[in-house]
């Protein structure tokens, strides 16, 4: 079964015929909310709102382990993770949809592994390619089928938040090779890998990252709201097509 984790701007799935909601308890505590089960055009999907259904959980407080564990327990094999980002690369202005293929993790202090001692053997997952290439290809195909423009590939930088970055931090991330910046991409991706779930992100650029774009001195999150909402509409169309293939 396919799961969709929705971030800011995507707290529910359009056209989802909801069958039921289920609260799942995990050894790691409570997920961000109940899992919503349903179907889009007769294809089963599970949806989870990453920040909770009232959008109250900040990025560093999300129980990523509980979220991923709950999905694995429900036999989810694939997770498409939608998340809002700031654009760093010149060709990634607000409204751009990017399918990253790499990541750099700058987060700290998050509970980031299921392999944290006890009686479990130490396990080092391979993370050379952090995202599932087959699932990325499927998303790309769905984008093409619905004629939605997306950028194929990019380096996602995961920052701690909840504050936005300084201009110097963004310059450093760019020097490191980062193309877009968000706060929720890690440890979500590596936890999914630890449990053998295919995982791929869809990043929606909401704003220029700090110091980029025209407004060099502050990030104006409201300036691009309309373009962002329009991009979220395009994500809905991609997702509707994706569940069919
Ligand atoms: N930085 C980090 N995370 C974000 C941003 C940003 O500029 N925009 C949306 N999520």
């Amino acid at each position: 079964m396919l799961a969709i984790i929705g971030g800011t701007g995507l707290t529910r799935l359009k056209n989802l015929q909801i069958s039921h909601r289920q609260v799942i308890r995990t050894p790691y505590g409570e997920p961000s909310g109940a899992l919503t089960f349903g179907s889009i055009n007769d294809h089963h999907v599970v949806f989870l709102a990453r920040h909770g259904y009232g959008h109250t959980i900040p990025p560093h407080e999300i129980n990523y382990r509980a979220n991923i564990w709950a999905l694995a327990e429900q036999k989810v094999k694939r997770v498409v993770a939608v998340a809002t980002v700031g654009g760093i690369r010149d060709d990634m202005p607000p409204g751009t949809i990017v399918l990253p293929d790499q990541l750099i993790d700058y987060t700290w202090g998050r509970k980031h592994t299921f392999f944290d001692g006890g009686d479990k053997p130490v396990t080092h997952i391979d993370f050379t390619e952090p995202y599932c290439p087959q699932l990325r290809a499927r998303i790309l195909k769905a984008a093409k089928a619905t004629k939605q423009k997306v950028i194929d590939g990019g380096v996602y930088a995961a920052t701690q938040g909840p504050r936005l970055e300084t201009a110097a931090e963004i310059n450093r991330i760019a020097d490191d090779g980062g193309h877009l910046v968000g706060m929720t991409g890690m440890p979500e991706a590596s936890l999914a890998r630890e449990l053998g779930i295919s995982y791929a992100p869809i990043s929606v650029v909401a704003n220029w990252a700090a110091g980029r774009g025209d407004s060099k001195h502050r990030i104006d999150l409201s300036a691009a709201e309309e373009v962002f909402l329009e991009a979220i509409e395009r994500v809905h169309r991609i997702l509707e097509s994706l569940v069919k293939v």
Side-chain angles (χ1 to χ4, degrees), residues 98-236:
V98 186
L99 309 181
D101 61 349
Q102 274 296 333
L103 68 80
I104 303 175
D105 186 10
Y106 298 94
T107 66
W108 48 269
R110 300 183 180 189
K111 294 211 162 59
H112 64 286
T113 180
F114 292 112
F115 302 127
D116 56 356
D119 52 4
K120 286 184 229 115
V122 178
T123 306
H124 305 283
I125 51 157
D126 180 81
F127 209 43
T128 314
E129 282 198 73
Y131 305 126
C132 171
Q134 288 82 15
L135 188 53
R136 286 191 68 255
R138 255 180 83 175
I139 301 171
L140 196 62
K141 200 170 152 195
K144 284 195 175 134
T146 52
K147 299 196 167 52
Q148 304 305 323
K149 199 172 152 238
V150 299
I151 294 183
D152 178 16
V155 180
Y156 177 104
T159 55
Q160 177 69 357
R163 69 164 176 84
L164 294 158
E165 298 71 37
T166 65
E169 284 169 337
I170 292 298
N171 287 339
R172 179 175 78 141
I173 291 171
D175 286 347
D176 285 353
H179 300 149
L180 45 150
V181 58
M183 299 172 190
T184 56
M186 281 296 284
E188 204 173 75
S190 54
L191 288 167
R193 177 68 54 85
E194 284 189 352
L195 295 189
I197 296 175
S198 301
Y199 178 102
I202 300 180
S203 300
V204 190
V205 181
N207 57 278
W208 280 115
R212 306 278 149 151
D214 293 335
S215 162
K216 296 268 183 274
H217 299 290
R218 56 173 296 114
I219 290 183
D220 191 352
L221 282 171
S222 62
E225 201 171 330
E226 230 169 86
V227 230
F228 173 66
L229 293 177
E230 191 269 328
I232 292 286
E233 284 304 312
R234 285 156 46 218
V235 171
H236 280 294

Side-chain angles (χ1 to χ4, degrees), residues 50-78:
R50 188 185 284 112
H51 298 277
Y53 288 89
H55 205 284
T56 48
I57 313 170
H60 63 292
E61 299 280 3
I62 291 167
N63 192 338
Y64 296 96
R65 291 197 300 184
N67 287 353
I68 296 296
W69 185 272
L71 294 173
E73 204 213 12
Q74 294 302 305
K75 309 269 182 287
V76 163
K77 298 279 179 263
R78 282 177 276 273

